[in-house]
Amino acid sequence: SNSRIGSKRKIRRSERVKITLSATGLKRHSLFKIGSPFAIVTQLSRHTLGTSSSSDSSPGDNVNEHAILGGRTETIQNTRSPLWTKYFILDYELGKEVFINVSIYDADSK
């Protein structure tokens, strides 16, 4: 017989996700300058560290966040509505909660 007793095979269900970015109507930081925006993408994965036996703990108490820098877009000059050409490929494991943080900055502001 070809059956294996006690043999377990873990099937990982993960996908690669492509993320593209754009923005509209970004605020002006100056009366005379429109701005030159760029974005930074960070992926935050939440991993449970354990369970708490305390009755007054909330569900998020034993969670640790790990940040993974996804990258930076190119700077688009003189626009308040950028459409960035750079895209980001992130790994996503089905059924796991993942948070993506997108921060937008103005290259002209000091």
Side-chain angles (χ1 to χ4, degrees), residues 13-14 17 35 37 41 44-45 50 55 70 75 82 84 86 92 98 101:
R13 296 180 179 192
S14 62
V17 178
V41 176
L44 301 174
S45 297
S55 61
T75 300
W84 290 287
K86 176 163 178 150
Y92 170 70
V98 176
N101 183 59

Side-chain angles (χ1 to χ4, degrees), residues 46 48 50-52 56-63:
R46 300 185 81 180
T48 303
T51 58
S52 174
D56 62 344
S57 65
S58 64
D61 282 351
N62 294 315
V63 172

Side-chain angles (χ1 to χ4, degrees), residues 61-87:
D61 282 351
N62 294 315
V63 172
N64 186 17
E65 291 185 352
H66 297 279
I68 302 167
L69 182 63
R72 180 188 189 276
T73 65
E74 72 278 11
T75 300
I76 309 272
Q77 299 294 321
N78 301 321
T79 185
R80 291 178 45 212
S81 299
L83 174 59
W84 290 287
T85 59
K86 176 163 178 150
Y87 58 87

Side-chain angles (χ1 to χ4, degrees), residues 1 7 12 15 23 26 43 45 55 57 59 72 93 101-102:
S1 151
S7 173
R12 186 175 180 172
E15 298 288 329
L26 296 175
Q43 179 179 351
S45 297
S55 61
S57 65
R72 180 188 189 276
E93 191 170 335
N101 183 59
V102 178

Side-chain angles (χ1 to χ4, degrees), residues 17-34:
V17 178
K18 179 180 178 179
I19 297 175
T20 58
L21 300 173
S22 65
T24 56
L26 296 175
K27 289 184 179 181
R28 285 181 119 156
H29 289 285
S30 165
L31 181 62
F32 302 106
K33 292 184 180 179
I34 293 175

